[in-house]
Structures are given as structure tokens and as C-alpha cells.
Amino acid sequence: MNLLAIELLSPEEWTALRLSSTVATCAAAASLPLGIAIGYLLARVAFRGRWLLEAMVNLPLVLPPVVAGYLLLICFGPRGPIGSVLADWFGVKIVFSWLAAVLAAMVVSFPLMVRAIRVAFQSVDPRLEMAARSLGASRLGAFFTVSLPLASRGVIAGWILAFARGLGEFGATIMVAGNIEGQTRTIPLAIFTVASRPGGMNQCWRLVGLSILLACAALAASEWLERRQSRHESR
Amino acid sequence: MSLVSFQCRHRFAGGFELDIAFQTDHTVTSIFGPSGSGKTSVLSTIAGFLRPQSGRVQLAGQAMLDTARRLFVPPERRQVGMVFQDHLLFPHLTVEANLRYGWRHRRRRHRSIEFRRVLEVLEIGGLLQRYPGSLSGGERQRVALGRALTSGPGLLLMDEPLASLDAALKARILAYLERVVDEWRIPTLFVTHAQAEVRRLANWVVVIENGRVVATGTPDDALSQPEPLGWKNSMGPVNLLRLERVELRDGHAMGRLGDQLLYLPQRDLPSHSPVFVQFSPIDVTLSRQDVTGVSARNRLRGRICQLVPLDQAVFVAVDIGQIVWAEVTPEAAAELSLAPGSDVTCLLKAHSLRVVT
């Protein structure tokens, strides 16, 4: 990290940036396996209760993030159904820690990730897996050697979208993770905190600029992935 | 113990019902019928992609499917190589990786097919580093065939292997298919709606219409059954004669048909044998007497085995050792009193013959 960059941001701002990136990266990474599984399921398999799964996945898209945060707080709180189990069995306390921020980002960004992955799998001919299986590959093997590589661009795009959404997560985070400096104060929370101070409106422009920059970079990356001509035109 | 023993009943969601049973012991069996007759469903059931409501499939005596015993062997354990109509090559892999895909997964005891030999026979060694997206139709077809072969199949299934190719390519791919059959003698089942392909490749044919088997037998027998099967699409039967030997006489290429001779429309000898000659039934003129003094070079004597009325025409099957179909008007058929058993001469202009090698 060079000096100029360090001097550009205050230590608090650096902490917020680091925290935001860590939270968004971890959230997107942790959602990925489930995102791939559900995206594939929704793209390929017809089953009863499919609409229910679809509705549950998409719910956070339309739900106010604060409500999602509230529900998370209830479930993962020390007396909540999941939180109490985690506390009693593993001694892990999630709420008001950076893990809660990860959790909030996961829930809120999950629909975006699943949508991108599902579209990616829909564009891969399902019969290619049949071809793979007739050549001796197991069902799982066919998935990992044929469908997943062919959908990889969409999967990465979904990851980036989820990452970008995680960076900006505010409502659910403040409910379930609070606004603790150095622990859960991500960039959006830092902006909110600084801007709430008297005369703070003028001090948060660097963080605002940073957010815009990150969002643009993420969008550009996913756009680039979608447009990039693969070296072998796909069929 | 048959190579393939097949029985299946399945009602599709759309209402189409499949009720098919057949057995075959022949190296190359064709499943022949018009499109939508259920041919591809038969292949899918054998390969394990379609699980019928009831049925039994045995390959070389091994049960692959038996709904009564709740037995279902998954596709990857059936050792059935499938060549799909649209090839389904893996677009993200090179040709070599496509070919190695099945090679990697096959069982050790099935290594009788050598990887290098497949490249040689199909002449695809030069394509290894290319991606499927950059291949021509004929190249794709050969790679798809090669991919199925390298997986060491006990049975080869081909779904309309020639349907997507133009006439010139068809002839070339046919030659490759024949080389594959000669080289490895893998039992093969192929689906087609083209009579010429059946006559050319198959030793045995199962004719399917509307989800049911309507005839089985050697191509000559099965395709001459009274019902005008599969003719509806192609407007009548197709003539394809197989000439085992072609020789030069008086500066003309002539093919041998038993003790009769057939003038070919060319002066040079074809490089391959056997040679196949294709022509339309409309180009065949029938005569009750052995005629002389006509311009048609070819006069083939034979005996009528059946008459099939279809629309405004009558198709007459004449047995000259192989079957020749002639198309005549109902009036002409009546005037000549054509009937099964009568002897006739088939007149054919050499130039209406198309030689396919």
C-alpha cells in the first residue's frame, strides 16, 4: 500500500473499507455452493414445491432489508432457535459481530446470485450431460466437467453481483450486527455515522466516492464477463 | 441370447404411446420410420435416458432395465456409445479432450479399441487442438462418432447420423460408418427415415410407425411390406441396388446383378466397391415382353412380387435378385395386367442412375 493511498483515507475509513470488503467477499463465497445448487435446481429440475423455493429465494429482493435483519436477529439472537443452539453447542455468538454482517449480506444478496446462476445453467443444453453420462461419467461428474464449466461465466458474474450487493448492505446489517466501530461498521454504516454528525455531510465524500468506485468496478467486471467472447464460440 | 432384446411400453404426457418390442442379433440394425414415430425414444430407452413405465432391455444377455424387477442400470454403466443427431460435442473442450472424455471413464477390460486407430480410421488426427465450434458439419459428425468409439462401447447407438448433412457429405460419412463397422464389428443400432441408408448399412431393420413395430426383417423384405411405410414422407420407395462388382466392357462401366448387367452412366470404374446405384421408381419403365430396339440401355428381367397403390400411382416391386420399384399409373397397371408372379422387364436409362460410393 503506498503512502499516497494511505493518506487519502483516514484510519477509520481504512477500517471500514477493509471490513466491507471482507464481509462482502466472505458472504459471496459462503453463498456460492448453495447458490450453485439452487440455481441449478431451479434451472433444470421440475419438482413439487418448486414455487415455494423460488419464492423463498426471491423474498429478500422485495423485503425491506430492515425486516430481513429483524428476522435474522430473532433467529440468531442468543435466545433465538438457531442462535441458542450455536451459543450452547459451539459457544459462538453471532449477533453484533462481523459474522452477523456476513450473514446479513448473504441473505440480501442471495437472490441476485441465484438469478445469475440460474440463467447461466438455463443456457447450457441439458443433453450435454446425457452425452457425458453415455460416455461413462456419473451424474455428479457430468455436472462438474460439463455443465458447471459451461455456466462458469454466469456463476462468476453472480458472485460479483452478490459481492457488490454485499458491499452496500445497510438495513439488515445495522439490525443484526449493529454499528460497532472496527467490528461491524462497514462503509455504508460509516457514511451514515459520519453524515449524522453535525457538519458531517462534508466529511463523508471520500467514502461516498469509494462506494461509487467499487460499485462501478463490480458492474464493469460482470458486464465484461457477460460480453466476453469465449475463445471458442459456444456452439 | 440376443445382442439386443427390447420391450417397452410408455405413454408420454402428450398422449403419444410407445409399445415396441424387438430382438436383433445382427451387427447393424436399423430402426426405420417416419419422423415422430418413436424411433429416438427407443434409442433413449436403450441408452438409459428414458425410463419407460414398463419395459425390459437386455444387451448381450445383461439386463439393463426391467421394470418388473425394479431394475434400472444408469446410463454411465451401460457401456452404450451414443452418437446424437446434433452431435452434442462439449463446446468448452478441444476435440482431443472430447475424444478423451469417454476414454478416461471406460473400464479397463474394454480397451480393445485403440485411441490412435480411431483417429486413423476417422481421419480426425489433424483436428485434435480445435474446438467443436470451429468444425464443419462432417468433421463434427466424425468427432462425435470417434468420441463414442473411444469410450469402448459394447453397443453403438446412432440417432439419424446423416440427417443433418448434405448429399455429398452424406456419402463421405457413410463410407466412414462402413469403415467403422468393418474395423471393430461393434453391434450398431441406428435410427433413420431414409430408405437408402437402411439398404446401404443395415443387415436387419425394424420398421416403426406411430409407436409400434410394423415390420422386421432384412432391408429388402421389411421395406417391401405391403404397407407403404415411411413412403409418405419421401413420396414412394427408393431404389438402391448393390453392385458387388463393376467391370469395364466395350469402354463402359458395367455392374453385375446376378447374371444380368447394368450399364452405369460413366466410362471410368468407381474406386470403391461395392457400388450403390440409386434411382427413382418413376424412371423405371415396365414391359411384359422382352423388348429390343429401345434406347434404354438397361433391360433387367424379373418377376413382380407385389403391387402397392398409393395416391394416383401404383408401385410395383420387381424381384431381379434385388428389389426394383417401378412407378406406373393405375391404367397402365391394368392394361398390362400386372400382377404378382408375372414376368416383366424393367427398362432403365443409364443416365437416370446415380452412382453412390
Side-chain angles (χ1 to χ4, degrees):
Chain A
M1 210 68 64
N2 65 55
L3 269 175
L4 185 71
I6 290 174
E7 276 168 19
L8 222 50
L9 299 174
S10 71
E12 291 79 27
E13 287 164 344
W14 266 118
T15 311
L17 173 60
R18 217 174 34 236
L19 197 59
S20 256
S21 346
T22 314
V23 165
T25 309
C26 291
S31 316
L32 195 61
L34 192 63
I36 291 174
I38 292 186
Y40 182 79
L41 210 64
L42 290 177
R44 290 284 172 81
V45 189
F47 55 94
R48 281 159 65 108
R50 181 199 157 94
W51 64 272
L52 191 67
L53 179 65
E54 218 173 328
M56 276 175 61
V57 166
N58 282 330
L59 199 60
L61 212 56
V62 287
L63 212 59
V66 175
V67 173
Y70 177 80
L71 294 175
L72 281 176
L73 191 56
I74 287 186
C75 292
F76 286 87
R79 285 193 207 93
I82 305 174
S84 60
V85 170
L86 288 175
D88 293 352
W89 294 16
F90 305 101
V92 180
K93 183 177 158 285
I94 287 198
V95 286
F96 303 117
S97 73
W98 75 281
L99 282 174
V102 170
L103 204 62
M106 280 173 71
V107 167
V108 174
S109 61
F110 197 61
L112 294 172
M113 175 182 271
V114 168
R115 183 156 296 202
I117 292 175
R118 174 192 187 166
V119 169
F121 278 122
Q122 274 167 345
S123 68
V124 176
D125 190 339
R127 296 177 314 138
L128 285 169
E129 275 187 30
M130 285 171 36
R133 294 190 70 197
S134 78
L135 293 168
S138 66
R139 187 166 258 213
L140 214 58
F143 171 78
F144 279 112
T145 54
V146 176
S147 294
L148 190 58
L150 284 169
S152 62
R153 277 191 298 160
V155 171
I156 296 170
W159 191 90
I160 291 174
L161 270 179
F163 171 79
R165 178 65 185 86
L167 278 179
E169 179 23 52
F170 180 84
T173 311
I174 203 161
M175 282 301 281
V176 75
N179 185 5
I180 307 163
E181 156 118 64
Q183 287 183 49
T184 65
R185 186 176 290 167
T186 56
I187 294 176
L189 293 174
I191 293 175
F192 175 73
T193 310
V194 173
S196 322
R197 288 181 196 140
M201 284 302 277
N202 295 326
Q203 290 166 27
C204 55
W205 62 268
R206 283 193 302 266
L207 286 171
V208 170
L210 200 60
S211 294
I212 295 175
L213 206 71
L214 286 170
C216 288
L219 268 186
S222 79
E223 190 74 3
W224 175 74
L225 272 170
E226 251 162 62
R227 291 215 189 147
R228 191 181 64 162
Q229 280 294 323
S230 45
R231 40 183 189 207
H232 42 83
E233 66 207 77
S234 57
R235 306 201 327 125
Chain B
M1 180 178 92
S2 311
L3 279 175
V4 179
S5 158
F6 182 92
Q7 185 260 312
C8 125
R9 252 167 198 248
H10 189 77
R11 181 186 279 277
F12 288 87
F16 182 74
E17 208 182 315
L18 200 68
D19 184 359
I20 284 176
F22 68 87
Q23 294 193 351
T24 176
D25 274 317
H26 298 264
T27 317
V28 182
T29 302
S30 169
I31 300 181
F32 172 75
S35 46
S37 54
K39 300 174 301 220
T40 301
S41 303
V42 172
L43 286 200
S44 296
T45 306
I46 296 176
F49 302 134
L50 178 69
R51 218 170 156 160
Q53 280 133 10
S54 91
R56 220 170 50 233
V57 175
Q58 289 192 348
L59 304 181
Q62 275 196 311
M64 295 294 167
L65 170 82
D66 191 342
T67 47
R69 283 165 41 204
R70 295 184 168 277
L71 175 85
F72 177 81
V73 178
E76 62 269 27
R77 295 224 308 270
R78 294 194 180 193
Q79 277 157 11
V80 164
M82 177 108 176
V83 180
F84 296 86
Q85 184 169 0
D86 47 356
H87 319 316
L88 291 179
L89 296 173
F90 304 130
H92 60 304
L93 300 179
T94 59
V95 167
E96 176 161 20
N98 265 283
L99 293 167
R100 295 249 179 231
Y101 195 93
W103 178 262
R104 256 193 358 236
H105 286 100
R106 71 202 221 151
R107 313 222 163 138
R108 282 196 192 289
R109 60 193 165 93
H110 284 275
R111 294 236 164 171
S112 55
I113 294 182
E114 243 188 288
F115 191 80
R116 280 205 5 249
R117 189 71 192 130
V118 172
L119 301 185
E120 279 166 26
V121 169
L122 294 171
E123 295 174 39
I124 48 179
L127 307 174
L128 291 181
Q129 299 315 314
R130 308 250 304 263
Y131 282 92
S134 71
L135 300 180
S136 70
E139 287 168 342
R140 275 180 213 197
Q141 184 63 274
R142 271 144 63 203
V143 173
L145 189 56
R147 186 178 67 171
L149 287 170
T150 51
S151 69
L155 175 72
L156 198 57
L157 304 178
M158 297 194 282
D159 190 2
E160 297 273 8
L162 303 168
S164 58
L165 307 173
D166 61 46
L169 260 180
K170 241 176 224 181
R172 285 195 51 205
I173 297 293
L174 258 171
Y176 282 112
L177 290 180
E178 280 171 338
R179 282 165 78 169
V180 166
V181 169
D182 283 347
E183 174 92 17
W184 291 291
R185 302 253 131 226
I186 301 170
T188 301
L189 225 62
F190 79 100
V191 154
T192 184
H193 64 266
Q195 294 175 43
E197 290 166 23
V198 177
R199 289 179 188 274
R200 172 101 185 242
L201 275 178
N203 323 114
W204 194 253
V205 56
V206 178
V207 186
I208 290 177
E209 195 171 56
N210 221 348
R212 278 171 180 60
V213 174
V214 290
T216 48
T218 61
D220 268 344
D221 285 348
L223 296 184
S224 320
Q225 298 290 309
E227 285 177 68
L229 290 162
W231 292 4
K232 290 163 190 159
N233 295 339
S234 51
M235 298 306 292
V238 170
N239 284 312
L240 189 82
L241 296 179
R242 181 189 172 95
L243 307 175
E244 286 304 338
R245 228 147 35 82
V246 176
E247 53 208 44
L248 272 181
R249 270 198 198 185
D250 314 328
H252 272 281
M254 301 183 87
R256 215 163 240 303
L257 277 164
D259 57 347
Q260 310 196 64
L261 286 172
L262 189 71
Y263 282 85
L264 300 183
Q266 60 193 45
R267 289 172 179 281
D268 45 338
L269 283 172
S271 49
H272 302 276
S273 70
V275 167
F276 293 85
V277 177
Q278 199 175 330
F279 52 96
S280 165
I282 197 108
D283 292 324
V284 182
T285 307
L286 291 183
S287 157
R288 289 302 299 266
Q289 284 99 38
D290 190 9
V291 284
T292 50
V294 288
S295 66
R297 302 299 314 261
N298 289 311
R299 298 186 288 274
L300 302 169
R301 285 181 312 282
R303 179 163 292 168
I304 293 179
C305 42
Q306 71 180 52
L307 282 84
V308 181
L310 185 76
D311 293 333
Q312 295 304 303
V314 176
F315 287 96
V316 184
V318 183
D319 186 357
I320 59 159
Q322 300 176 51
I323 300 291
V324 169
W325 287 94
E327 182 180 343
V328 298
T329 59
E331 295 77 20
E335 202 176 301
L336 292 176
S337 53
L338 297 178
S342 24
D343 290 319
V344 286
T345 302
C346 305
L347 304 176
L348 255 174
K349 283 187 168 182
H351 279 285
S352 58
L353 304 177
R354 202 158 64 78
V355 178
V356 280
T357 47

